[in-house]
Amino acid sequence: MTSTPGSAGRTAAPTPPPPEPAPRVRRFSRAERWVHRTTAALLLLCVATAAALYVPQLAELVGRRYLVVTVHEWAGILLPAPFLLGLVSPAFRADLRRLNRFGPHDKKWLRAARRRDHRSGSRPAGKFNAGQKIYASWIAGAVLVMLATGLLMWFTHLTPLVWRTSATFVHDWLALAIGVVLAGHIRMALADPEARRGMRTGSVARPWAEREHPLWLKQQPTAEREERQADDAGAG
C-alpha cells in the first residue's frame, strides 16, 4: 500500500508529552481542614438563620420562626466546638501560634496592600499573611461577643432589662458586620483557586507558595519536621 505525498511527515511528527504537574507542598492537616469546614458551616448557618429572622421578605418565605430561632441558637452555641476539639491536633496548635505572631514582614505586607502594590517580593508572608492574621483575630473576638450577647438574650430571666436591651443592640449590629466581613472573605477565596484547593486537599502548588507565602516556604522543611515530631509525641 502506498502513502500519499506528505502524509508520512505529518503522522511521524512526535506528540509533545503532557506537562508535568507542579510539585505540591503540604499546607494543612486533616484536623485543620475539618475545623475550618465545620466552623464555616456553623457560621454560615448562623448568618442564614439570622437573615431569615430579620429580613421580612425572607421571614415570610421561610416561615416556621420558632424552628429558625432554635436552629440559630444551637448553631451559635456549637460554634466554638470545632475550635476546642481542634486543640487536640498539634498542627492546629502550631498554626494558632503562627496566627498570633505579628512580625516586621507583616507590617511591610500591610503597607504594600494599602498601596495596592502587587510587585514580586512586596508582600512577604509566612504561612499566613497579615490580612489573614487580622481576619482570624477579628472573627474570633466577634464570635465570643456574639456568644456572650446571645446567651444574655436567650436566658432572659437571669439579667435585668437594660442588659438584654444592650446585648440585643450589640448582637444585631455585630451580626451585620460579620455578614459583610464574611462576604469579603468568601469573595477573596473565590478569587484564589489554589488557596481553596489547599484548604480542600491539604496541599498547594509550590509556585503558588513561592509567590504568596515565600517566608513560609523557606521554613517548610523545619515546620514539617516539627509537626511530625509533635504528631509522634501525641500518638505516644
Side-chain angles (χ1 to χ4, degrees), residues 183-196:
H185 179 70
I186 295 173
R187 178 175 175 272
M188 295 184 69
L190 291 175
D192 195 340
E194 191 61 34
R196 297 200 312 273

Side-chain angles (χ1 to χ4, degrees), residues 125-188:
K127 187 169 186 179
F128 303 101
N129 61 44
Q132 292 168 330
K133 292 178 180 180
I134 292 174
Y135 170 79
S137 299
W138 188 89
I139 202 71
V143 166
L144 290 177
V145 174
M146 292 295 286
L147 182 61
T149 53
L151 289 173
L152 289 175
M153 295 163 60
W154 194 358
F155 299 102
T156 56
H157 60 285
L158 297 180
T159 56
L161 177 61
V162 64
W163 287 25
R164 300 196 302 272
T165 303
S166 301
T168 302
F169 177 84
V170 173
H171 196 88
D172 291 352
W173 282 103
L174 186 55
L176 179 61
I178 289 176
V180 172
V181 172
L182 191 61
H185 179 70
I186 295 173
R187 178 175 175 272
M188 295 184 69

Side-chain angles (χ1 to χ4, degrees), residues 89-110:
S89 166
F92 182 70
R93 295 197 303 270
D95 274 355
L96 286 180
R97 289 192 292 270
R98 295 185 181 99
L99 283 168
N100 287 328
R101 293 172 184 165
F102 206 90
H105 61 277
D106 293 309
K107 297 178 182 179
K108 183 177 179 180
W109 191 97
L110 287 173

Side-chain angles (χ1 to χ4, degrees), residues 4 14 27-28 34 47-48 65-66 70 77 79 88 90 98 109 116 123 130-131 143 152 156-158 161 171 219 223:
T4 58
R27 182 160 173 82
F28 294 115
W34 178 87
V47 171
R65 181 177 178 84
Y66 178 77
T70 302
I77 289 293
L79 195 52
V88 177
R98 295 185 181 99
W109 191 97
R116 299 182 183 274
R123 299 191 184 190
V143 166
L152 289 175
T156 56
H157 60 285
L158 297 180
L161 177 61
H171 196 88
Q219 302 167 351

Side-chain angles (χ1 to χ4, degrees), residues 33-102:
R33 302 198 304 275
W34 178 87
V35 170
H36 183 270
R37 291 170 186 170
T38 311
T39 302
L42 289 171
L43 191 56
L44 288 174
L45 186 58
C46 286
V47 171
T49 50
L53 291 172
Y54 285 96
V55 179
Q57 294 82 356
L58 289 178
E60 293 178 3
L61 181 65
V62 175
R64 306 191 67 175
R65 181 177 178 84
Y66 178 77
L67 177 61
V68 175
V69 170
T70 302
V71 172
H72 181 79
E73 290 172 341
W74 281 106
I77 289 293
L78 293 174
L79 195 52
F83 172 86
L84 296 175
L85 292 174
L87 293 175
V88 177
S89 166
F92 182 70
R93 295 197 303 270
D95 274 355
L96 286 180
R97 289 192 292 270
R98 295 185 181 99
L99 283 168
N100 287 328
R101 293 172 184 165
F102 206 90

